[in-house]
Every structure is written in C-alpha cells, then in structure tokens.
Amino acid sequence: MGSTNSTLSKIPNVEELMQETGFTPAHIVRLYDRFEALDKEKTGHLRPQDFGAINRLAMNPIGDRIIGAFFSPGQETVDFHSFVRILAHFRPADKKRPKDPSMPEPVNSRTSKLKYPPLVFSLISVAFQLYDQDKDGKISRAELLQVLRSMLEMQVTEEQLESIADRTIQEADLDKDDAISFEEFRKSLEKVNIDHKMSIRFLR
Amino acid sequence: MVLLAISRPSLASEATGNGTEHTITTLPIVIWKWEEIHFPYLVALWVLVSWLCKLVFQLNPCLTRVIPESGLLICIGWVLGGIIYGADKVQTFRLQPFTFFFYLLPQIVLDAGYSMPNKLFFGNLGAILVYAVIGTCWNAATLGLALWGCWLGGAMGNIDTGLLQLLLFGSLIAAVDPVAVIAVFEEVHVNEVLYILVFGESLLNDGVTVVLFNVFDAFVSLGGAQIDAVEIIKGIISFFVVAVGGSLVGVVFALLISLLTRCTKNIQIIEPGFIFVLGYLSYLTAEMLSLSAILSCTFCGVCCQKYINANMDERSVSTVRSTMKVFANGSETIIFVFLGISAIDPSIWVWNTAFILLTLLFIFVFRFIGVFLLTWILNQYRLVPLDFIDQLVMGYGGLRGAVAYGLVLLLDENKYKEKKLMISTTLIVVYFTVMLQGITMKPLVTWLKVKRAAVSERTLAEKIQNRTFDHMLVAIEDISGQIGDNYMRDKWNNFEEKWLYWLLMTPIARKSCDPIFNIFHKLNIKDATSYVKEGERRGSLAFVRNENKADVDFNKKFGADFSEMIRDSVPSVCLDMHEQDLKMRESEDFDAHHLLQQHLYKGRKQHRHRYSRKQLEVNKDEHEVQEIFQRTMRSRLESFKSAKMGVAPPKKISKHLKKDQPQKVREACTFSSFPLVFITIFLEFSEGDSASGYEAAGGSFPMRAYRGAGIVNPAFMAEMDTMDPMPPMQQIPSWLAETEVDSSNMVPSQRAQLRLPWTPSNLRRLAPLCLSTHSNDSFLLADSPATQEGISDLPDKTNPLKQLT
C-alpha cells in the first residue's frame, strides 16, 4: 500500500485523527481523495459552495442543513480534520470509539446512561442539531415547521403544515412546554429502528 | 370413516377377484361404483378431513395460543392414524414421498417465493447463503461424523451401518425445513432480519441437501473403496451445477411468466392460472434435470413477483395471492396431518434409544455451534451485526420437518439396512422440533426480549424522524462520495428500469409502477371506504367527496371536546362532515398521517429513476425531485454571493431577465437532454460531481411541453393554479440569468430549472430562512446584508421578478 502511505504522509496529524475517529488508514485516504476532489481550488479548506457542487445534495430536502452541520458556529470553512470528524459520527457502531468532544453539552451528560450504542446516539444528536438551528437545546414549533416545510411537498398548505407540526409536538412533548427537548426527541424515537438504517458501509 | 369401513371389505373383495365384470339380468337403477372412483374419492376425502382438523382445534382458542398449529395437526394425525390402524390393522394411508414431493411441496415453495420480501431477501442474501450452504454442510458433516464416532464406540449397539450411510443420514436430517419454519415463525413475530435469515436459509439449503443426498447415495452405491479425489471433486462441482442450475431454471421461468402476463390482457379470466402452471413447471423441469427443484421454484416466485403484480389487473393479483395461500396452507395442513398418521404404524418402528437420543442431542448442539461460529464470521462483514439473542433464536429455530421425512423414505432398503431405524429417528426428530421447539418458541422469544417485527409508525414524530434520518444518511453518503449498498442497488434499479421494465412490463404498468402512486391510490380507496362507512353509520350519504382526499377543509375549529388535545387557536384539519363527533380526532389523526404519507418527500433511494420515452405527464417523482431542487437552489440563491458560482444576487437579475427571456426560451429548447438531467444526475457518481455524468440520452423528449414564449410546462402550471390563487406568471427563476456561468457547478440545476417556472408567491414560504439573528448557518452569516435585503424583498412581493408581469 505504497500509495496509501504516501498520501497519509501528506495529511498533518493523521495519527491523531485516526485515533480520535477510529478510521483505518485506507478510509482516511479515501476521504482525503474525496476532500481533494471537492476542494477544487486546492485551498485545503472546504467552503459551503464546494459542498454545493455535489449535485445530488441539491436533491435532498435537508441537504443544506447537513452542509451546515459541517461548519461549526462562526466558521466559514472546514478543513480535513473537521470533515473527517463529522463523518465519523456516521460510522457503524464500534465499541472502541472514543467520545467525541464536539457533541453539544446536554448530550454529554447523558452519555453514561445510554441505552443506545454510540453510533445511534450520535445520529440522534446530529439529527437534533439539524432541527435545532439556534442551539438552545429545544426544538421549537417554528423550527419544526421549518423542517417540515422543507421535507413536505409544495402542495401542502400552511394550515396543514401547522396542524402537522402541532400534532407532532403534542405527541412528543411530555413536559408541555411547547417545544421538544433532546430527551423527548430521543424518547419519541425509541421505536424507530435506527441501526438498521445504517447503510453507509464503507465508513466501517 | 364409514366409507373407510366400507372400502375395506371392497378392497378385500377386490383381492379375491371380484371385478366389475358380472352379468346383469335386469336393468340396475343404481350401481355402487366404488371401485371405479375410490382413488379420487379418497384423495378428496383426505383433503377434506385434514382441513376439517384445522376447524376442530380452532374451537378452542387457548389451545392454539400455546401449541403451534403444526403441532396440533400432528396430534390429530396421530388420532386419525390410530383409528385407521385400529380399523385396518395396517396403516393403509401414509405420506408417500412421491405425493409429498410432487403434489404437496411445490405450492408451498411457490408461495414462499411469491410472497418473499425481496428487498430484505436480497439485502441479506450473503448471510443467507452462508448459513444455507456452509451451515448445512457443517451440520451434515458434524452429525454424520459424531454418529459414526459413537457407533464405532459401540454406544448404539449392533447396527448395520457405515460412515457413508451415517453421513447420508446426517445430510438429510441437517437441513432446516421451510414448511416447519413457516408454520412456527408465522405465529411468533420476530424482527424481519431474523425471520428472513432463518426462512431464507430454509429455502436455499435445498440446493445443498439435494447434492449431499445424491452424492452420498452414489457413494454408498459405489462402495467405500472407489471413492477417491475425482469423485469428491465431482461432488463439489455437482453442488454448483445443481444449485446454480436450479436457480437459473427458476429465473427463466420467471421471465416466461412475466412475458406471458404482459400479453394476457384479454384473457384476464385465466391469467392467474398461468402463474400456477408455470410455477409448477419450473419445479418439475428442475426435478427432471436433477437440479434443485426447490431453488428453482423459489427463484421463480422471487423474480417474477414484481412484474406480474404490475402487469396483471388488480383482481387477478388478488386472486393469485389468495389462491396461493389456499394451496400453500392446504398443503401444509395435509403434510402435518399425514406426518402424524404415518407414525402410527408399528411396521416402521425400530427403536434404538442411543441412536435416537444421540441424534437429537447432536442436532441441537451442532446447530447452535454452527450458528454461533458462522455469525461470528459474518459479523465482521455485516453492517448491522447480529446480536447474541438473535443468534440464539436462530439456532433454536432450526426446525426439521417433512422434507427430511420425505427424503428418508426415498432410501433404498437394500442398500440401507437400517432404513427403518432412520425413519423412526427422523420422525422423532421432526416431532421434537416441531412440537417442542414450536411450543417453546413463543415463550422463549418473549423471555429473551427478542426484537419484534417493527410495528407501523404510529406517531407522526416517528414518521417524520424516520424520513429525516433517511435524508440525512443519503446526504452523508453523497458528501463522503461513496455509496455502499445503495450504489449497487441504484445500479440494479437503473438496469432494471432501462431494460427489464421495457421487456417485461406492459406500458401501462410501467407508468403506474410507482410506490407513491400506489400508496396514494390505496389511501384514496381507504378514505373513500371509511367515508362511506361513516355516512352509513350516521344514516346519510349526503356528504360528497369529489376530489383528492388531501384537500380537506380547514375552516373548522374544534370545540371544547378537544381542547386538551388541540390548542383552540390553531385551525385544525377537519373532514367535511356535517357535525363534529368523536371520530373527528381519529380522522384528524388519520388525515395528518395521510398527509404525511402522501406529501413527505421520499428519500432518494426510493425514487424510481425511470425513463420512459413516451412519458408526457409529470412523473410525481420528478416533480418531487424538481421541487426539492428548486427550493434548495432558491435558498442557496439567497446565500451564495460568490461570483465563482456565478449566481448573481437577486437585484441584478431583473435587468437581464426581461430582455433575455425570449432568448432563454430558445436556448432552453436547444437543451435537448435536460429533463433527463435528473435521471443522469442520479446515474453519475462520486468522484466527479461535475457535469461529466451526462449522456445526452436520446433527446427525443417531447418538446411539446414547451409552447409559446414561455418556458411553461403546462402540466406544472396547472398544479400551480390549484395550489395558489395567484395567476400563473411567466416567470423565470432568478438564477436563470446566468447560463454562461461556471457551468461545472450549476449546469444541471440550471438546465432543470429552465423548465420549471416558479411563482414568486411561493417564495414567501422561504422567508423565515433563519429564525434568530444568531444563525450559525455560515452561508447566511457571511451574506447577511444581502440576505436581509433579499428576505425583506420577498414578503411584500416587490421583488425584481415581479417586474416581468
């Protein structure tokens, strides 16, 4: 695997990265190639527009939000390390995975009491972040409406959307504060068979 | 029973030569014709009796909850067998192998193949094959060797057998039986993956069983001395030939059936019949060629189900489904009853405690060991590893059944001196697994808290989150540039749609073969039925629904009855009924679900990337894709400012648009390939997300979608009309202006959008792009001044686009 090694040596701090995320060298190389392919100007950083070049993402109703998830607050670019770290969230369950420090605060405190394997948990937390754009730890009705709007077809009228959003909050909101906290979110997903949805095989 | 008593003396008298030839002296008015018709009569009678048994124990529902049906049927079989034996002193009726293999088994296998959940099956095919092939070989080898070891050790006393015979016995008893698995697992709803693994294994291991059986049988005939490497190699080769050949025969027949149903539109009355005949022929053909008949029948059902379901009329489809179930269930019942009856026959019983007990023990132990070993290996490669509990259930679910019994009856008595012992053992094993394991399966599953089959999404939250996850995963796959399973699935879907649909499906079927449409259709029917029921309940059919059920009336607010459920200030969905009643809440619930079902964007995986040269109307999938695309582009438009992308900010566009409009149209029309852009976008993959992926795929797309000066798709505009009270405007989306842009990034989207106008009124929806001023969406942060402008522009509709009207 000569080419692997040579590519690996181009990446700074690759050992640390592998340690942190648990990717194998082959994976890192593959991701690096992908990174470079996306980074057309070879700046070493990715900007949102580079993600926009992925045409299939435009077909995805929450594609832009996902792109947003790659960029930490305030950052305009993402470097390879952050890129890999975020993708590491979606790896299949691996018992040896180290804790990811970039998870939001309320989540970390519950890590020890989890019933879910690490991957599913991080999936749920990422999903929660997708909804919760203002990062106040709760999904408000307006935020939910936004997401619903983007996921539902245009024929659905405002009133229908609102009633769906209301109903959803009713179902999930246990403490009746008209917003869904992370705990309630997680509970509402108890029956969803998340790990069976994982089909990103190559990220093992 | 009376007739049996009668038949006995007549059979006896036949033996004494009482033929039908006898001189008559006067015209007989009525003749007793038993001898002529006794065979079909008995067959029909037995079928009736077996099926009546099912009725008998349904009288006591508690019984069926505890003991699986198959077990109860065997018990009744014992009773019947006892009666017959008592009457005849010899067991006149027993399960003949020929009857079993050619009249009773094919329907069950065909039904199994036809109702197989294909996605699950092929998704787990690797694991299934590992269990079926390697697992069965392991079971057979270990059992045979273990028994041989014990025999050598003298544990079994003096029986006349040898290594090869024991290996043969091992191979026929090693196979998990599909009939038994269906019978038991049907009542225990374990999760789908577990079920498909056990079930798939039980079906596919026939290939191995047949080969092993024949190989060892031949070896026994040859004698031990003549077995050398050549023979063994031949044995291995024969495995591949038998298994693959059998499957190919099945696939060929599946093609035949699909082609046939394509042409049978005018003879719909017997259309269903073809399925059965051809399915049966596939079984027989494989058997004739000494290939694996079960594999052939299975793959025939598996491969043809989609096409025939699409091609045939709905009534034919439901006929086929029901009839298959009748046959399959009927056969299963008969098999189990006769398994019971056949036992009551002292002539076949040879009891050798050690042999029987050892067999039972080894079957159990080696099954578990095999499952654990193989699962451990598989888990290294599987995405979703099978956990310990699932493995336990899988090991415990290795039921043996009638197939083993049928095979053992086929043994030649001269070669196998211990045939009777083997028969006895087989029967005991079958009873043990079916009854004992069947009875304890349900409690075991409950006790171990095995993950059960997923119930349908009950809450809206779940539904939405499920979909969100789907989208999320698809997006991550796209970003990371590699598509694992989905890639292969995509490729297969594309191939299928390009070639197979064209070949095997009628043109009408091709169009309507759409999951969204189907669900929509089913929900509409369900709606209609429930409305009529409701109307009848309240004694009036005065309400009339004349259109799409999703357009329900929103003008009612709910009264006090529902205030705890629904906030009063929010207008809720309400069906257009005369008065509110308690059913409202359910119907609101139903409607919300219905709305979601209809209108949630499906994840891309589920899209049919279908290209039909004749397609004129807007395919709902394309519509959905275009919608999403447009919205994304729109929101990006608000945020992207960089000239690199070539997206001019909204303000500037107005200048270009007006004068460029005519040219745009012409340019639009010259893009001959662009509706296919969506298809081709899907076809392109990872490393180059540039425009490289397009084939100008046969640009015979009808340009008549364009008329006049507007880039107006009439079908689309019509929808716009119903959606929105605003008059359709000849709008060109703001990002149209730049065509000579850095096209490597935006070309596909632009081409797509040229076709689809967008009324500015809908921009209103996108107004709340960010809720708080502290949005961490970096696009917006970077572009906040312009965005603010953009946003403020939109609501009051003084946006530049309006200047066009």
Side-chain angles (χ1 to χ4, degrees), chain A residues 63-200:
Chain A
D64 282 343
R65 283 174 184 249
I66 302 268
I67 296 177
F70 274 84
F71 295 89
S72 315
Q75 266 192 326
E76 277 186 30
T77 61
V78 63
D79 64 351
F80 182 64
H81 282 242
S82 325
F83 184 70
V84 172
R85 259 188 229 115
I86 295 189
L87 283 180
H89 276 261
F90 298 92
R91 293 190 60 227
D94 184 7
K95 300 171 192 69
K96 305 193 290 290
R97 268 191 66 222
K99 265 208 244 273
D100 196 315
S102 65
M103 284 196 207
E105 199 46 37
V107 159
N108 263 339
S109 61
R110 289 176 175 74
T111 318
S112 55
K113 296 187 265 175
L114 280 184
K115 284 182 293 189
Y116 283 125
L119 165 72
V120 174
F121 186 79
S122 61
L123 255 195
I124 296 184
S125 64
V126 171
F128 190 78
Q129 276 172 287
L130 286 181
Y131 283 94
D132 186 21
Q133 293 283 8
D134 57 2
K135 300 259 184 284
D136 59 356
K138 283 186 181 308
I139 305 176
S140 68
R141 183 167 167 268
E143 287 170 335
L144 184 63
L145 257 183
Q146 251 196 305
V147 177
L148 274 180
R149 212 176 269 132
S150 63
M151 288 212 305
L152 286 173
E153 294 176 7
M154 297 300 287
Q155 287 146 308
V156 183
T157 67
E158 275 303 308
E159 294 89 348
Q160 286 171 315
L161 269 181
E162 284 180 12
S163 72
I164 292 177
D166 281 329
R167 188 145 193 108
T168 312
I169 294 193
Q170 249 173 48
E171 282 172 354
D173 191 14
L174 302 165
D175 55 2
K176 304 283 176 260
D177 59 353
D178 200 18
I180 304 180
S181 69
F182 182 77
E183 210 31 62
E184 292 161 355
F185 186 74
R186 194 181 59 77
K187 255 210 183 55
S188 76
L189 290 176
E190 267 170 353
K191 292 214 202 87
V192 173
N193 206 346
I194 299 175
D195 50 351
H196 277 210
K197 287 180 170 303
M198 290 307 296
S199 56
I200 311 184

Side-chain angles (χ1 to χ4, degrees), chain B residues 493-504:
Chain B
N493 279 340
N494 293 332
F495 166 73
E496 192 181 25
E497 278 154 28
K498 202 159 175 208
W499 297 106
L500 294 181
Y501 279 14
W502 173 79
L503 179 68
L504 299 173

Side-chain angles (χ1 to χ4, degrees), chain A residues 34 48 55-56 58 60 64 131 149 151-154 156 160 163 166-167 170-171 189 197 204, chain B residues 382 460 465-466 468 471 478-479 481 550 554 565 570 588 599 601 627 631-632 636 684 689 779:
Chain A
R34 177 65 174 165
N55 293 310
R56 301 166 92 143
N60 197 317
D64 282 343
Y131 283 94
R149 212 176 269 132
M151 288 212 305
L152 286 173
E153 294 176 7
M154 297 300 287
V156 183
Q160 286 171 315
S163 72
D166 281 329
R167 188 145 193 108
Q170 249 173 48
E171 282 172 354
L189 290 176
K197 287 180 170 303
R204 278 186 61 101
Chain B
R382 270 179 76 83
L460 286 179
Q465 311 317 352
N466 248 331
T468 313
H471 287 311
D478 292 336
I479 291 178
F554 300 119
M565 314 282 187
V570 175
E588 185 225 286
H599 290 296
Y601 288 138
E627 261 187 32
R631 290 160 115 184
T632 317
R636 284 190 187 169
E684 79 185 53
D689 267 310
F779 314 164

Side-chain angles (χ1 to χ4, degrees), chain B residues 146-159 161 166 352-356 358-359 362 421:
Chain B
L147 283 177
W148 182 58
C150 295
W151 175 67
L152 282 182
M156 296 178 204
N158 227 351
I159 47 179
T161 180
L166 288 172
N352 184 325
T353 325
F355 191 79
I356 296 177
L358 282 172
T359 311
F362 287 140
L421 175 60

Side-chain angles (χ1 to χ4, degrees), chain B residues 518-534:
Chain B
N518 280 338
I519 294 177
F520 182 69
H521 185 57
K522 281 189 198 134
L523 279 177
N524 276 344
I525 292 183
K526 204 157 113 180
D527 277 341
T529 323
S530 68
Y531 278 131
V532 170
K533 282 209 187 106
E534 179 61 28

